[in-house]
Amino acid sequence: MDEDFCREQLQRIRILADRADPFTRRRLLALVGRYDAKLGVQSRPSKIAERPLPAQTTPPASIFSRAGEA
């Protein structure tokens, strides 16, 4: 790949990551890291604050019961 192309892609990906949800942001920033590795550039810290994804909880059993069942 051409170095200029990679740099342009990095810029596009970073812009997308700025606007993305936390899961997609994490995936895009991982892609940025791979492009940086191809270019031999040390990954710079992201300006985007990473927030952990909310813990997924199992809904109460009552949601799964049919009407009239307990």
Side-chain angles (χ1 to χ4, degrees):
M1 267 189 252
D2 183 40
E3 191 172 312
D4 291 333
F5 173 78
C6 287
R7 292 188 192 286
E8 289 173 10
Q9 288 296 90
L10 281 169
Q11 183 63 28
R12 286 186 196 110
I13 294 168
R14 285 188 175 107
I15 290 169
L16 287 172
D18 284 338
R19 299 176 184 152
D21 63 90
F23 175 78
T24 305
R25 178 181 300 126
R26 192 172 299 126
R27 301 284 304 262
L28 288 170
L29 293 176
L31 182 59
V32 166
R34 289 195 298 272
Y35 271 106
D36 281 341
K38 283 183 183 181
L39 292 173
V41 176
Q42 292 234 335
S43 291
R44 54 185 163 160
S46 173
K47 295 182 218 172
I48 303 168
E50 288 229 11
R51 291 176 284 163
L53 293 174
Q56 196 168 14
T57 58
T58 305
S62 61
I63 291 176
F64 297 114
S65 63
R66 294 185 186 147
E69 293 181 2

